[in-house]
Amino acid sequence: MKNKLLTDFSLCAQTLGALFYYDPADIRVRTLIELFNSSEWLTEWPFADKYDCQRINQLFQASKQEQETLEDAYQRLFIGPYALPAPPWGSVYLDKENVMFGISTLELRAWLRINQINIELDQNEPEDHIGLLFMLTAWIIEHKPDLLRDFLEIHFLPWAYRYFEKMQLESGHAFYESIALLASQTLNYVQLQLELTVANKILYF
């Protein structure tokens, strides 16, 4: 059961990571967006019967009526130029100064180096972006599964739920509200199944 759980989780993490990380205009996510804008994703999502995906699907369908384009929403939520309502970087939540490249980012970077995990980024950006961490989760499952518990308990889950909560409340766009809810429900289900003990860290944002 655990092997299937991890295989399914890897697929979900790859999908969620791409949706949180890439611009909706990017060819790498266009097909995914089309899938979620239909109801067909329910037949392909591995955990569709584990939590209330019908409610999440209703949000996805409602998102098609949004006046703001998905590309504009992505710009507003992930790029700027104005303050982001739900910054996608872990150190903003874990650092007293709410900064990017904070202490928690350096701790993650050290953990990656010690475990010989190399993330190649196209630009100088923090490794603790929510989308990158989902895609890293999938990579760890496939290549270094023994590290998964440590990674999730210490570097990902302590702040991820707060991010999803803020995205649901403040994103102002039903598509990203839907993805945040789906991501939160997915991580919570996996956390319970793997009996993870999340590190108790103070959140400042």
Side-chain angles (χ1 to χ4, degrees), residues 96-202:
K96 274 186 178 182
E97 305 301 322
N98 308 127
V99 294
M100 296 166 60
F101 293 104
I103 293 175
S104 63
T105 310
L106 301 180
E107 291 173 344
L108 171 62
R109 188 174 288 176
W111 184 87
L112 293 170
R113 184 174 61 252
I114 289 169
N115 290 291
Q116 298 180 316
I117 299 173
N118 182 40
I119 298 181
E120 295 184 5
L121 301 175
D122 294 334
Q123 53 193 350
N124 183 29
E125 64 177 316
E127 292 87 343
D128 58 351
H129 186 289
I130 191 75
L132 286 175
L133 292 190
F134 265 122
M135 290 188 280
L136 181 56
T137 296
W139 188 92
I140 290 173
I141 290 171
E142 298 299 325
H143 299 280
K144 298 193 175 188
D146 291 345
L147 297 176
L148 181 64
R149 177 177 294 272
D150 198 35
F151 172 69
L152 293 176
E153 290 181 341
I154 297 174
H155 298 288
F156 196 179
L157 293 178
W159 68 276
Y161 293 117
R162 174 65 64 83
Y163 169 76
F164 299 136
E165 179 183 14
K166 292 186 75 68
M167 184 62 87
Q168 288 176 68
L169 292 174
E170 302 180 32
S171 69
H173 197 287
F175 187 85
Y176 285 106
E177 180 184 347
S178 308
I179 290 180
L181 180 56
L182 180 61
S184 180
Q185 293 289 328
T186 300
L187 283 182
N188 184 64
Y189 173 73
V190 171
Q191 178 184 334
L192 293 174
Q193 294 302 307
L194 296 180
E195 299 180 336
L196 301 177
T197 302
V198 181
N200 185 18
K201 296 187 178 184
I202 298 174

Side-chain angles (χ1 to χ4, degrees), residues 39-93:
S39 296
E40 294 178 11
W41 72 275
L42 288 169
T43 64
E44 299 187 26
W45 193 253
F47 304 134
D49 62 339
K50 305 303 182 184
Y51 36 82
D52 192 358
C53 284
Q54 291 293 340
R55 173 171 166 244
I56 299 171
N57 187 53
Q58 289 174 356
L59 281 172
F60 276 123
Q61 302 318 305
S63 74
K64 293 184 290 186
Q65 308 303 319
E66 292 278 6
Q67 293 187 350
E68 182 183 36
T69 68
L70 200 52
E71 290 79 9
D72 286 346
Y74 177 86
Q75 178 75 29
R76 177 173 56 81
L77 293 170
F78 293 93
I79 307 298
Y82 305 110
L84 308 184
W89 303 281
S91 66
V92 175
Y93 301 83

